[in-house]
Amino acid sequence: MAHTQGDTHGRLILHRAKQYVRVTRRKKPKYYVRHADMHPLANAPFVDNSYKFAGGGIVSTASDIAGLAHHCILGDFFKPHIKRLMLEETTYTQDIPDPQNPGFYLFIFLKKKRIYISEEKKTGYGKIGWRVVYDHKKRLKLAGHSGGACGGTSHVVVIPDEELVVCILINMRANPQICYEIAQLFSEKEILRWVPFRNKQN
């Protein structure tokens, strides 16, 4: 982490890239826009990232971030029980209509309050922000993380079975799919089928 430091206002950082945003017709910058090539680029507005040092707000390089991800997921940076806790997929409980209940369809017909049951669903994220994908044997197939601020984006993905780590830094807000597409070039696994994407426009 030789090239990683806090992003404090006023500090001049050598070789730092200029940050940009896409501007819509309303002249307001947007993070993700459809048909991005149709919206002109503009300089990103000033943001003081020192307010979020607890959860980010740092300046780094792709090699530093990739090295950190390698030590966190593949190395011994954390003790085994801490790593398991960090990568354990979280779940949430959602109430859904119960079609097995005899009164379910009657309640729908009368437009009254439905009868619900609780269903546990997976979030796709670990307990400390890592995006995780497991196979049917509960083995970790993929771990990824993204971050960013106004005019900047970082994405890192780790494939444990192949000891593959890919990290990209982009000087504007962009969809994380590009990081998985780059990882796919170096992997024989179907990475792009593991992670769904809501917006495929960069």
Side-chain angles (χ1 to χ4, degrees), residues 5 13 18 23 38 42 46-47 49-50 65 77 89 105 108-109 121-122 152 159 161 167 171 182 185 200:
Q5 56 186 302
I13 300 175
K18 182 68 177 177
V23 179
M38 299 176 61
F46 169 76
V47 175
N49 288 318
S50 63
I65 297 175
F77 188 79
E89 188 172 11
Y105 297 101
I108 293 180
F109 178 75
K121 291 191 174 184
K122 298 180 179 180
I159 312 298
D161 288 348
C167 177
N171 58 336
I182 294 174
L185 298 176
K200 295 186 178 181

Side-chain angles (χ1 to χ4, degrees), residues 48-66:
D48 185 358
N49 288 318
S50 63
Y51 79 93
K52 60 174 186 175
F53 279 157
I58 62 174
V59 177
S60 188
T61 62
S63 58
D64 274 5
I65 297 175

